Amino acid sequence: LVGSEMCIRDRASTALYCIGIQPFLKQLQQFLLAQGPALPLFFVDDGTRLNTAKGRLLLGSCDSVQTAQRHQQDYLDLGFHPAVLHMHPSNSSEPSAAASYGCKVLGSYVGSDEFILHSLELHLTHLNDLADKLISSFSDYHQHLLTLLRHCFLTKPSHLFRTIPPRLTLSFAQRVNSIGHRVFCSMTSHLHSTLSVLQYHQLHLHVSDGGFSLPDMLLVRECAFPASFAQCIHDVTDILTLLRPLTIDDILCASRYYHDPSNIPPPIVSFLHHHNPIFIAFFDAVAVLTVYDPALTVQSLLVTQRTDSKLQHSLYNCCYQHSLTTFKHSLQQLNDPAHLAHY
């Protein structure tokens, strides 16, 4: 199992790992349930335990404060501790309601924009601490440090970019890049104390293009969320259909209507008859990709490309080609043969 977990590029190994760990997870669920009122949830080997006395339960937005208070009382009657329940900011008069409305689920953050942004700030502190440990532990082993930076450290935030709308992750992406640059510069400080903007850009170029192949978080930010959304769209529609009808056609219709209100909106019975913020985030993210490649549309992602297991990688390459073109244009603008000789 350990070996198959490490070989994540082997689909059969990953599938066998998921199958093999199921009996253990079921036993663990039974054990947790026996400890008291709780709801243990798992996705592969990531677990979250919803406890009636600990943790957070986020109450959805209601049309009135009175309705929200009735819902809150329903949970109190079920045995939930008052400290566990968090009213939606729109139904609360507490000044700190927005900042505290959220929780960490399966390694990512859900809740209000304020909560998510604050959580990302804390995550940056954690990444800076990890960077310090990398630098101090491998100061004499630059090859090891570069490998860990490229393949381990800079791949960790990918899950956050896949699960948090891009409008909330721009500053986070820029600062993760800066942390990566700091780790890299620890290897070159005896030659160059700082690097130029073009040199920092060059770090993210593929080796074949004269770079060091460090993943660019700004590009990951642009491709990860739409790739994740498209790949799980059928699970999303299956769940949301339990509330109101929702089909792929409804999503395509909502996308056209969002970008041009002169189009026909989704049917009145559809879940997307009214704008939904997560779907809007997806539409906006795809619009950025369409600028890079007109063939990338909401329809192509949801209908044709959603089954591509390497969809994020494909979209990253699309973003990368645009970035590479921008880099080459910047070099041409220098008009400095002596400087360009380094590239």
Side-chain angles (χ1 to χ4, degrees):
L1 287 180
V2 173
S4 62
E5 182 183 22
M6 297 301 291
C7 300
I8 57 175
R9 295 181 181 178
D10 186 338
R11 298 180 185 178
S13 306
T14 305
L16 290 173
Y17 174 77
C18 294
I19 294 172
I21 202 172
Q22 281 302 305
F24 167 73
L25 293 183
K26 289 182 178 180
Q27 293 178 17
L28 181 58
Q29 282 182 313
Q30 293 300 320
F31 172 80
L32 293 174
L33 287 171
Q35 304 306 303
L39 178 61
L41 305 173
F42 286 90
F43 177 75
V44 189
D45 55 358
D46 290 323
T48 293
R49 184 174 183 238
L50 178 61
N51 195 305
T52 57
K54 300 179 181 179
R56 292 168 178 262
L57 181 62
L58 308 181
L59 304 180
S61 176
C62 298
D63 54 7
S64 69
V65 175
Q66 292 75 16
T67 302
Q69 290 174 341
R70 286 199 300 271
H71 287 178
Q72 184 182 39
Q73 188 59 50
D74 290 340
Y75 282 103
L76 292 173
D77 293 341
L78 289 173
F80 281 85
H81 193 278
V84 173
L85 305 177
H86 289 261
M87 298 276 282
H88 191 276
S90 64
N91 299 128
S92 175
S93 58
E94 292 291 332
S96 61
S100 62
Y101 186 78
C103 60
K104 186 175 183 180
V105 179
L106 300 177
S108 188
Y109 306 104
V110 297
S112 66
D113 290 358
E114 292 85 346
F115 176 85
I116 292 174
L117 290 172
H118 177 66
S119 299
L120 290 178
E121 285 289 332
L122 297 178
H123 196 81
L124 283 169
T125 301
H126 171 65
L127 290 178
N128 267 308
D129 291 341
L130 288 179
D132 291 338
K133 292 177 181 178
L134 274 178
I135 294 171
S136 61
S137 300
F138 295 93
S139 58
D140 297 325
Y141 303 94
H142 292 172
Q143 188 66 41
H144 296 73
L145 179 57
L146 182 60
T147 300
L148 290 171
L149 174 63
R150 181 191 298 148
H151 297 294
C152 298
F153 183 85
L154 288 177
T155 59
K156 289 178 69 66
S158 179
H159 178 60
L160 296 175
F161 291 116
R162 287 178 64 86
T163 51
I164 298 176
R167 62 184 176 81
L168 298 176
T169 56
L170 176 57
S171 176
F172 180 73
Q174 292 170 332
R175 292 164 70 181
V176 173
N177 270 348
S178 296
I179 296 173
H181 297 162
R182 178 165 69 86
V183 175
F184 184 90
C185 286
S186 71
M187 297 183 287
T188 62
S189 57
H190 61 292
L191 298 174
H192 304 283
S193 57
T194 60
L195 300 179
S196 68
V197 174
L198 284 177
Q199 287 170 332
Y200 280 130
H201 196 153
Q202 187 180 5
L203 296 181
H204 300 290
L205 299 183
H206 294 335
V207 173
S208 59
D209 293 320
F212 285 85
S213 289
L214 298 187
D216 188 341
M217 295 300 106
L218 290 173
L219 304 187
V220 173
R221 165 183 171 269
E222 292 180 342
C223 67
F225 184 82
S228 172
F229 197 96
Q231 288 174 317
C232 66
I233 190 60
H234 272 279
D235 292 327
V236 171
T237 54
D238 287 346
I239 293 172
L240 294 181
T241 299
L242 298 175
L243 303 176
R244 298 185 69 177
L246 179 64
T247 65
I248 297 296
D249 287 338
D250 289 344
I251 300 173
L252 300 179
C253 182
S255 173
R256 292 190 293 268
Y257 181 69
Y258 171 65
H259 291 297
D260 183 1
S262 65
N263 286 307
I264 300 174
I268 193 170
V269 297
S270 171
F271 178 86
L272 287 179
H273 182 69
H274 299 289
H275 288 316
N276 179 276
I278 294 299
F279 280 88
I280 288 177
F282 173 64
F283 299 154
D284 287 339
V286 176
V288 173
L289 298 177
T290 304
V291 173
Y292 300 154
D293 183 353
L296 292 173
T297 63
V298 171
Q299 181 168 353
S300 71
L301 289 176
L302 297 186
V303 177
T304 308
Q305 296 172 279
R306 63 176 179 79
T307 56
D308 181 1
S309 62
K310 296 184 178 180
L311 179 57
Q312 180 174 326
H313 178 72
S314 300
L315 297 182
Y316 184 92
N317 282 338
C318 173
C319 298
Y320 172 79
Q321 290 304 319
H322 180 270
S323 177
L324 179 60
T325 301
T326 302
F327 178 75
K328 291 179 178 178
H329 179 71
S330 299
L331 290 180
Q332 293 170 355
Q333 294 296 105
L334 286 177
N335 194 26
D336 183 353
H339 191 96
L340 295 180
H342 295 290
Y343 295 94

